[in-house]
Amino acid sequence: MNAMLRLIGWLLALALVALPVVAVLNGWIGAGQWPLRKLRVTGQFDRVDEALLRRTLLPYAQRGFFAVDLASAQAAVAKLPWVEHAEVRKRWPDVLEVSVAEHRPFARWGTDRLLSEQGRLFPAQGIEVPKGLPQFAGPEARVAEVVALYNESRAMFAPIGMEVQRVEIDQRGSCTLGLVNGAAPGGTEVVVGREQARARLSRFVRLMPRLLAQRVQILARADLRYTNGFALSWAPVTAPSAATQQQQEKS
């Protein structure tokens, strides 16, 4: 019996010591004694809404220094528009610090996402998308291939005055480009296929100036999936309307 009483006494003493610690760590008590009074935001960003960032962190700071859930706060910040990466820390005695890295958009991806310069896809919903971004599409597993093809083809077509505006790779790996020429209306779809894409594009780029010089029409589509040539589709040049001509004369 005495041993049992001693055991109960030890358990009660341990509970009396541990309970206040648990209460502080869980925010049951101590929020008033050790409050988080300051929010420090670091990192260079232009599009992340700082007011929204502060509102997002406020609920996590209300339980005091020892009880703040850093992992949950960091996850909440990471879900905000334009946030590529976030890290939340606490600094004694009363500072909650958040470091934010912002997505830098490189291209549109599909209909509802953007591709960052870091190669990450993120939602475009609820954000103002910058103008002039190229349009990409393809399976997520082929992001690196799409970017590589865009960079290589852009370098190929730039010397002849063509800009690569669209790059698509389908599930089978077949590639299609969309080109625009600032000097002429309309655009050109280039079906490259999935084999020898770089070699086909290189051959097409070499011949394209001569093809365009021989025609007064616009090259609407080029299919490069042939061993010894291309299949070309041409569109007539649409004459500007009278109103457009008058506007051009006035300017």
Side-chain angles (χ1 to χ4, degrees), residues 127-194:
I127 63 177
E128 184 177 352
V129 179
K131 296 180 180 179
L133 296 178
Q135 175 70 57
F136 295 168
E140 289 190 21
R142 293 186 179 271
V143 168
E145 293 179 52
V146 172
V147 174
L149 180 59
Y150 171 74
N151 289 331
E152 292 179 23
S153 59
R154 183 175 59 170
M156 290 181 184
F157 285 100
I160 62 173
M162 302 296 291
E163 179 184 353
V164 180
Q165 192 179 59
R166 177 171 55 89
V167 178
E168 297 180 9
I169 296 182
D170 64 18
Q171 293 283 355
R172 299 182 300 110
S174 182
C175 310
T176 302
L177 305 181
L179 308 178
V180 292
N181 182 351
T188 302
E189 182 179 75
V190 180
V191 181
V192 185
R194 56 178 177 168

Side-chain angles (χ1 to χ4, degrees), residues 15-74:
L16 290 174
V17 173
L19 186 59
V21 176
V22 173
V24 169
L25 293 178
N26 284 277
W28 302 336
I29 62 174
Q33 288 84 351
W34 299 285
L36 287 165
R37 303 180 187 276
K38 303 172 185 176
L39 174 61
R40 183 182 299 155
V41 181
T42 63
Q44 295 182 350
F45 52 89
D46 301 316
R47 298 182 175 91
V48 174
D49 187 335
E50 187 168 345
L52 178 59
L53 178 63
R54 292 179 180 277
R55 291 197 302 271
T56 301
L57 285 172
L58 182 60
Y60 299 94
Q62 291 176 340
R63 300 176 69 183
F65 184 90
F66 293 103
V68 59
D69 187 343
L70 296 178
S72 297
Q74 185 168 299

Side-chain angles (χ1 to χ4, degrees), residues 240-251:
S241 64
T244 303
Q245 289 178 338
Q246 292 176 1
Q247 183 63 33
Q248 291 174 347
E249 291 174 359
K250 290 179 181 180
S251 59

